[in-house]
Amino acid sequence: MIFDILTLFPDMFRSPLAGSILEKAREAKLITVNLFNIRDYAEGKHRVTDDDPYGGGTGMIMKPEPIIRGIKAIQSGHPEARVILMTPQGTPLRQEVVRRLAQLSHIILVCGRYEGVDERVRAVVDEEISIGDYVLTGGEPAALVMIDAIARLIPGVLGNEGASEDDSFSRGLLEYPQYTRPRSFEGREVPEILLSGDHQSIERWRKREALRRTWERRPDLLTRAGLSDEDQKILDELRGSSGAE
Ligand code: ADE
């Protein structure tokens, strides 16, 4: 998977991509991250990349020419590369979106800055993505979130195959509670069932706790989760035993 990043601040990517799992993935050539400075595609002595908004208002708008020139330069020879603009106006990033993007081989991530990018940039963008309903100073942290979330789904990146299938959201539910040693910590005990060695019972308990946690914290996820009849039965029991309607 190739990630090409178009940004005014390539340095913001260097430290987050160094160390830990993403660096190992790059060393193993499972992912490649190339950084491109939008300023390099700007013209004139001062290589200006932003300007005042037509119609007035505060803040600066990123000019269309440098961004579009940059996208076209990266795209030449790579027509398959998908161009994604990071913006709070985009499709919300959810695990199902991450799964879809992880199937691609080449993504160009365009990071906007300031108060926004000229609307005409959208004509050369395939898709727009938001990492949440809040506004960042620029698309760079959002692009890093995308790289991280996508990379961990690429076979070999996590080392432990299947690790990404087991976690929160993989089945549309929050994760069940996890424990490791010690068995007793400050008076809090590991649930007996996890020590039982009875794998079927442990699976049932985990399913129930995942459903409980999702129902308590993120009931909005349950409507999307694609619950089985058995899941639905467990949920009905949980609702009944809580005294809720
Ligand atoms: N740029 C600024 N805020 C953003 C957000 N929430 N998601 C993606 N890109 C952004």
Side-chain angles (χ1 to χ4, degrees):
M1 166 77 90
I2 300 172
F3 297 97
D4 287 332
I5 320 286
L6 250 182
T7 170
L8 279 173
F9 300 97
D11 287 346
M12 281 184 75
F13 290 84
R14 297 191 208 282
S15 161
L17 293 173
S20 103
I21 291 173
L22 291 183
E23 177 154 299
K24 287 215 183 75
R26 286 165 60 218
E27 282 168 2
K29 301 270 181 285
L30 296 168
I31 64 167
T32 300
V33 182
N34 301 311
L35 299 168
F36 298 89
N37 195 327
I38 294 171
R39 196 165 300 284
D40 292 340
Y41 301 97
E43 289 187 316
K45 187 161 147 240
H46 299 292
R47 298 191 172 272
V48 175
T49 57
D50 60 346
D51 207 337
D52 300 317
Y54 273 116
T58 54
M60 301 292 272
I61 305 300
M62 290 179 73
K63 292 163 68 62
E65 310 95 311
I67 297 180
I68 292 177
R69 214 175 281 130
I71 291 173
K72 295 219 158 126
I74 300 170
Q75 258 180 334
S76 73
H78 302 284
E80 78 290 355
R82 188 155 187 89
V83 182
I84 300 180
L85 176 66
M86 304 313 303
T87 162
Q89 300 165 40
T91 304
L93 187 63
R94 308 180 63 93
Q95 192 65 21
E96 72 229 33
V97 176
V98 176
R99 269 195 292 268
R100 169 170 63 78
L101 297 175
Q103 305 301 314
L104 301 173
S105 58
H106 192 161
I107 296 178
I108 300 173
L109 294 171
V110 182
C111 304
R113 276 263 143 181
Y114 309 122
E115 269 60 41
V117 300
D118 186 287
E119 187 66 19
R120 290 162 291 187
V121 167
R122 294 199 151 84
V124 298
V125 162
D126 296 312
E127 134 170 54
E128 301 179 29
I129 290 195
S130 163
I131 63 159
D133 292 338
Y134 41 80
V135 183
L136 305 167
T137 55
E140 285 79 5
L144 280 164
V145 165
M146 290 264 288
I147 294 170
D148 192 286
I150 293 171
R152 65 187 288 291
L153 296 189
I154 294 172
V157 168
L158 287 187
N160 172 10
E161 288 313 310
S164 67
E165 280 155 35
D166 221 29
D167 52 18
S168 262
F169 295 116
S170 61
R171 291 163 313 220
L173 299 177
L174 300 184
E175 201 175 21
Y176 47 78
Q178 294 270 35
Y179 297 86
T180 185
R181 275 181 275 273
R183 184 168 166 173
S184 176
F185 176 69
E186 297 185 347
R188 295 170 202 271
E189 308 293 330
V190 173
E192 203 64 42
I193 188 142
L194 298 179
L195 313 169
S196 69
D198 177 348
H199 294 294
Q200 261 195 336
S201 299
I202 291 171
E203 275 317 297
R204 265 202 307 276
W205 181 85
R206 285 179 164 167
K207 174 50 108 35
R208 189 181 177 86
E209 293 307 311
L211 283 163
R212 184 202 304 281
R213 194 152 271 196
T214 310
W215 173 55
E216 285 173 354
R217 300 185 182 189
R218 295 290 308 277
D220 57 301
L221 295 178
L222 290 173
T223 47
R224 298 168 159 265
L227 301 178
S228 66
D229 289 349
E230 195 203 320
D231 296 342
Q232 198 55 58
K233 216 174 106 205
I234 298 171
L235 261 183
D236 292 342
E237 277 169 29
L238 289 171
R239 288 194 176 109
S241 62
S242 81
E245 283 301 297

